[in-house]
Amino acid sequence: MENKITSSLFCFLILSMSSCSVSKTIKLETPFVTVVKLIDAEQSMHLDDAMQYIDVEQVYSKLGSKNPKEDWIKMIKFHYDLGKGEKNSNTFGYGNYDIEETIKGNNAQVCFKAKDKKANIKMITYGLEKRQKGWIVISINYTK
């Protein structure tokens, strides 16, 4: 009898230990992840990659652009070149912001709220829409 209990306990421990060591990998495709991928692709001038995460026509038309794609490329190039200087950096300082993600059905917002109360831009809000391939940025608003 004692052998059966010991054997059962041993099996239970082995199963428990093996289930604890099983790891799961989840592919994150949240609105926040989309914004991070967009920012990264723009900062490294990988515009083909960036196009997967932004509807340039919709975003820049809302900002009043008559030539959205051309204006987007000019803006990205300007920031890229600006970041090469000694005083400036073209890397986004995520640590300087409180970040909020709000999802409502097929729409979402990712807000970066400046921690520094004296910052020129107090908040950057990315509006996103769920499409077949995932989340796409459809608006960008800057609050001073």
Side-chain angles (χ1 to χ4, degrees):
M1 178 75 165
E2 187 178 323
N3 236 358
K4 287 184 182 181
I5 293 173
T6 306
S7 176
S8 296
L9 183 59
F10 179 74
C11 287
F12 174 75
L13 286 173
I14 295 296
L15 290 173
S16 296
M17 289 172 54
S18 66
S19 65
C20 290
S21 66
V22 173
S23 63
K24 292 182 181 181
T25 302
I26 299 170
K27 184 177 178 183
L28 292 178
E29 291 300 332
T30 65
F32 175 69
V33 171
T34 297
V35 171
V36 169
K37 287 180 178 182
L38 171 63
I39 291 169
D40 180 64
E42 287 179 340
Q43 287 176 348
S44 28
M45 290 291 294
H46 296 135
L47 301 183
D48 289 338
D49 291 339
M51 292 287 290
Q52 297 175 54
Y53 309 111
I54 186 169
D55 184 331
V56 173
E57 297 291 326
Q58 192 168 352
V59 171
Y60 283 82
S61 293
K62 287 178 183 176
L63 297 174
S65 174
K66 302 245 186 268
N67 300 306
K69 189 169 182 179
E70 290 174 29
D71 291 342
W72 175 66
I73 292 170
K74 285 179 190 175
M75 193 257 321
I76 298 304
K77 177 126 176 67
F78 172 76
H79 283 112
Y80 182 79
D81 290 340
L82 187 65
K84 289 181 185 177
E86 290 180 25
K87 294 182 180 180
N88 298 311
S89 169
N90 67 348
T91 57
F92 190 80
Y94 293 97
N96 297 326
Y97 297 91
D98 291 321
I99 303 167
E100 295 177 359
E101 178 185 74
T102 307
I103 302 171
K104 293 181 182 173
N106 289 332
N107 295 299
Q109 279 191 339
V110 176
C111 295
F112 295 88
K113 296 180 180 180
K115 290 180 180 178
D116 180 2
K117 302 296 180 202
K118 296 178 184 177
N120 289 333
I121 298 174
K122 305 287 186 222
M123 184 167 52
I124 306 168
T125 304
Y126 289 82
L128 295 94
E129 180 179 271
K130 183 103 176 187
R131 296 189 181 168
Q132 289 177 348
K133 292 183 180 180
W135 293 99
I136 300 291
V137 173
I138 60 169
S139 67
I140 304 172
N141 296 308
Y142 299 91
T143 304
K144 292 186 176 194

